[in-house]
Amino acid sequence: MTTAITAVLYPGHAAEDDYQLIEDALGPSIRLPVVITEIDSDDHTVGAMRAVGESDRLLDGAQRARTHDPAALMWACTSGSFLYGWEGAQRQAAQLSEVAGLPASSTSLAFAEACRALGIDSVAVAASYPSDVAAGFTTFLAGADIEVVGMRANDILTATDAGFIDGDTLFDMVVTADQPAAQAILIPDTALHTATWINDLEAQVGKPVLTANQVTAWEGARLAGATPRSDKLGALFSQTLLLQTQPVQTPPDQTQPAQVPSVPVRSDTPSRPR
């Protein structure tokens, strides 16, 4: 079996171990080596998070990622991409791709692509950030024609703090953010540990839950040409085709509304992790 390799450029240290858990769940078809990029501060402020995404930091990480011989690169930072806006995030990824000579994307762009693949255009957001940073994600998603119908900013002040969030707190963040009109719940911030709880979160709310490290791995696999599937990582990995890059075109007189994968609420939902 051929193993695809996507190098994950990750700023600082918080929840980078999620990628090993995701890799284990997906099996031998994909590897997700993590390359730590330099940061000056992990404060959840607009200035600090934009600085994390500066091009010299990303390009240095891309250079060091060459040792893994990757087929694709992912910039694993949500705020360090969405705070550049919809067009700015695309330029950021395009520059990374051009310099590395590889397909490249970012966590923010991966959220947009994952929503498109699932037919989702209305979401609630459970954000770790303070409200001014979280507002940037709403603006970014609008550029992708995704409406935020509910936003919960949880005022976690640093990525380090986010990395220590436990399962109970994560479940509370998601349940509080949920809205009836939301087709899915998005959890930005790659500093949050989420990989082991995605299925239980979906069972709790009865709809897809998309998390930062999950969508980063999904998009990285897609760009690397891999097609791993798993029943351990939520609807995104169990109900989408990773290589689908264009929406299915329906004749104008037969247009049907997008069908969002259903995630039934389980009667045997386990108690929240502690």
Side-chain angles (χ1 to χ4, degrees), residues 170-184:
L170 185 66
F171 271 71
D172 287 341
M173 287 171 58
V174 168
V175 171
T176 303
D178 191 19
Q179 295 291 327
Q183 297 168 298

Side-chain angles (χ1 to χ4, degrees), residues 9-16 35-45 47-61 64 75-81 84 157-161 189-191:
L9 308 184
Y10 189 96
H13 296 279
E16 67 271 25
V35 177
I36 300 300
T37 60
E38 179 186 352
I39 64 171
D40 293 329
S41 169
D42 72 347
D43 289 349
H44 279 165
T45 65
M49 292 297 97
R50 279 181 59 90
V52 163
E54 291 172 347
S55 61
D56 58 336
R57 303 178 195 271
L58 273 61
L59 299 183
D60 173 70
R64 289 185 286 113
W75 167 224
C77 185
T78 328
S79 56
S81 46
Y84 286 86
L157 298 182
T158 69
T160 298
D161 292 339
D189 196 355
T190 56

Side-chain angles (χ1 to χ4, degrees), residues 5-9 31 33-36 59-73 100 102:
I5 301 172
T6 294
V8 177
L9 308 184
R31 284 189 54 230
V34 173
V35 177
I36 300 300
L59 299 183
D60 173 70
Q63 180 64 34
R64 289 185 286 113
R66 292 181 186 275
T67 61
H68 299 287
D69 194 22
L73 294 177
L102 297 169

